[in-house]
Amino acid sequence: MKIKIAIVLHNMDYGGLQTVSLNLGKYLQNNGYNVDVVTTFRRGNLFDKIAASGMRAMHISGKYNTHHLVHAYKAGQEMLKNSYNVIIACNYERYIQASINMLPLQTIVIPWLHNHDNEVYLRAAINKDAWNVAVGVGPKVTEAAREKCTNRPVVYIPNGIEPPPEKQFNLRLKHTKPFQLIYVGRIHEAQKGIMFLPEIVKSCLNAGMDTSLTIIGDGPDSDKLKKKIKELNLEQKCHLKGRCEKKEVYQNLLLSHVLLMPSFYEGLPCVPIEAQMCGCVPILSHLHGITDAVVQNDKTGFLIDVGHVQGFVQAILKLYKMPQLWENMSLAGRKMTLKNFTPERMGEMFINLIEETLKGKYPPLQRNKLLPVNPLAFTWKELIPRKFHKLGLGNYLRKFIGH
């Protein structure tokens, strides 16, 4: 009988987590497992791609018209009804995390942690005695999760990305002018540092470089970024494309020389891996245990102190003036990522972990507590029934209970 696996996400919108989840699901499905991809908050833009990848797609509806505890209970009931052997709960997903105690001891639960973000660790720690083993996607994430989830096992499995074929890679843009820069990711200042991008381009132009920037992505700070670009008179040099399908992202990376990622924090970012697979040299914020896990500094790209705009500019200038250095880094990045960050490597490591856990290596400490759903997965505001908020009593009740 085939092992039945659920990969559970908050949603299937565009993003690195969703891409990697599809890659893992396809690999497991192709290696003899039955895989469902489940969303618990909303379906998302990529939901229809699940079935196209050969897996079953399932959305647990009702979040918008029921209480959070009720929805978590419903999610737990769905897991029971489908008799999953293994449940992989991704990152910010919390309805399954909250309802682990509803599951039988033989059901394996694996939190999959993708962001170096305190909220991710707190959610994993809510029912830490009830899950089996957690997976961190980077060294820093794994280390931090072990500290937050004391006395519980956390293993490191790097993300796996599908590379463009060799033939397509060989047609990538050579070292030419204008020198093409690219940013791919969420337009979100607090995490991604996107307001540094116009400053970097302006400084490059002031240094005499013939360059332009393509920006792919969407997010809450899109208007703020557009305003900054206009203030610096960069409308002809910064091209915002919005969200793009994965195929189009790869086409743009193959037509770019340098990827910029001035982030304040990440987990194990997928975009620099994708860029290197496409021969696009990454210049990233140096986040210890995070970006230095995907880029070899001075070999496959450059790691710059967070917020150091001139550090980014000097790295770009170096590649701009030294075509052979850019070519060497472009080839080295492709070679390194094909060795360390493929879906095959990620899938093999997950299969080993699942098989070890099925044999009893990582048992849960306890399950089946008195409460089937752990209320600590939710804020006090979320625990107050919606009808009280509609009546204007939500803030009063929060003050009454001291939150």
Side-chain angles (χ1 to χ4, degrees):
M1 186 175 177
K2 286 187 176 181
I3 301 297
K4 195 171 183 181
I5 298 176
I7 299 175
V8 187
L9 301 95
H10 187 258
N11 63 67
M12 275 301 293
D13 281 327
Y14 293 98
L17 164 62
Q18 288 78 2
T19 297
V20 172
S21 297
L22 286 176
N23 290 345
L24 175 61
K26 285 187 288 186
Y27 186 86
L28 295 174
Q29 185 84 12
N30 292 336
N31 280 271
Y33 297 84
N34 281 337
V35 180
D36 292 356
V37 178
V38 183
T39 54
T40 60
F41 187 78
R42 65 172 180 271
R43 287 179 173 84
N45 298 306
L46 295 177
F47 188 80
D48 292 338
K49 292 189 177 294
I50 298 169
S53 299
M55 297 169 284
R56 186 170 81 105
M58 182 172 75
H59 175 65
I60 301 174
S61 62
K63 184 267 166 192
Y64 291 103
N65 51 32
T66 59
H67 192 277
H68 288 282
L69 293 178
V70 174
H71 190 60
Y73 185 82
K74 182 178 179 181
Q77 287 291 320
E78 287 291 338
M79 297 297 105
L80 284 169
K81 184 175 74 174
N82 284 277
S83 302
Y84 292 113
N85 304 103
V86 180
I87 298 170
I88 300 171
C90 299
N91 224 32
Y92 294 108
E93 200 296 314
R94 55 184 171 157
Y95 296 104
I96 298 302
Q97 290 274 17
S99 59
I100 299 175
N101 282 315
M102 296 173 62
L103 303 173
L105 284 173
Q106 63 266 29
T107 300
I108 293 167
V109 179
I110 302 174
W112 193 10
L113 314 180
H114 285 256
N115 269 43
H116 181 46
D117 181 356
N118 195 49
E119 187 176 351
V120 171
Y121 305 128
L122 288 175
R123 290 187 181 181
I126 288 164
N127 273 341
K128 67 185 180 70
D129 290 344
W131 47 254
N132 297 75
V133 55
V135 170
V137 298
K140 184 68 175 179
V141 172
T142 305
E143 176 189 345
R146 287 171 179 161
E147 292 175 0
K148 299 286 185 181
C149 303
T150 52
N151 302 318
R152 300 300 291 134
V154 184
V155 301
Y156 167 43
I157 298 179
N159 285 333
I161 304 295
E162 289 183 352
E166 193 73 23
K167 183 178 179 181
Q168 193 175 1
F169 171 79
N170 290 334
L171 295 174
R172 77 194 191 285
L173 185 67
K174 302 302 181 183
H175 194 288
T176 58
K177 305 297 189 307
F179 205 57
Q180 301 291 344
L181 311 177
I182 190 170
Y183 168 85
V184 180
R186 193 158 181 257
I187 310 301
H188 184 210
E189 168 64 10
Q191 179 185 358
K192 300 291 187 177
I194 49 94
M195 300 306 291
F196 292 128
L197 295 172
E199 296 180 29
I200 292 169
V201 174
K202 189 70 172 181
S203 295
C204 285
L205 295 172
N206 291 340
M209 285 184 264
D210 180 10
T211 188
S212 65
L213 172 66
T214 297
I215 299 171
I216 294 177
D218 197 3
D221 295 319
S222 294
D223 290 340
K224 187 178 176 183
L225 178 60
K226 290 174 185 176
K227 182 179 178 182
K228 182 73 170 182
I229 289 170
K230 186 175 182 179
E231 286 176 356
L232 296 177
N233 298 314
L234 294 173
E235 293 97 326
Q236 301 304 312
K237 292 294 182 178
C238 295
H239 311 291
L240 287 82
K241 291 199 168 189
R243 265 183 197 165
C244 293
E245 295 278 350
K246 182 58 64 179
K247 182 178 179 181
E248 190 177 350
V249 171
Y250 271 25
Q251 289 170 347
N252 279 274
L253 287 171
L254 289 161
L255 293 174
S256 301
H257 298 107
V258 168
L259 170 79
L260 300 178
M261 198 184 81
S263 299
F264 293 109
Y265 69 91
E266 295 282 346
L268 188 85
C270 293
V271 173
I273 299 172
E274 294 169 337
Q276 290 172 98
M277 287 179 168
C278 293
C280 180
V281 177
I283 302 177
L284 318 177
S285 295
H286 190 183
L287 307 174
H288 294 280
I290 298 171
T291 53
D292 52 16
V294 297
V295 168
Q296 296 174 356
N297 193 31
D298 292 329
K299 293 181 180 178
T300 71
F302 293 105
L303 299 173
I304 310 299
D305 290 343
V306 176
H308 185 21
V309 169
Q310 287 306 312
F312 276 84
V313 174
Q314 289 304 310
I316 296 167
L317 184 60
K318 195 172 183 179
L319 294 172
Y320 182 87
K321 289 184 173 181
M322 301 174 70
Q324 192 58 54
L325 175 64
W326 177 86
E327 178 71 14
N328 291 343
M329 284 189 161
S330 176
L331 294 174
R334 167 86 173 180
K335 182 179 180 180
M336 185 273 293
T337 50
L338 290 181
K339 179 181 178 182
N340 297 320
F341 298 104
T342 61
E344 290 76 19
R345 184 166 188 257
M346 174 182 66
E348 288 169 3
M349 294 177 77
F350 259 99
I351 286 174
N352 288 337
L353 180 65
I354 289 168
E355 295 299 329
E356 287 178 342
T357 310
L358 287 169
K359 293 175 182 176
K361 183 173 181 179
Y362 299 108
L365 295 184
Q366 59 180 353
R367 252 181 223 169
N368 301 317
K369 291 183 178 179
L370 181 63
L371 292 176
V373 175
N374 190 334
L376 295 178
F378 308 100
T379 65
W380 278 108
K381 182 179 179 181
E382 291 170 329
L383 291 174
I384 296 170
R386 287 188 177 90
K387 63 181 179 181
F388 287 101
H389 287 291
K390 291 178 180 178
L391 293 171
L393 299 175
N395 290 333
Y396 172 79
L397 288 173
R398 290 173 68 194
K399 290 179 182 177
F400 180 75
I401 56 180
H403 288 269

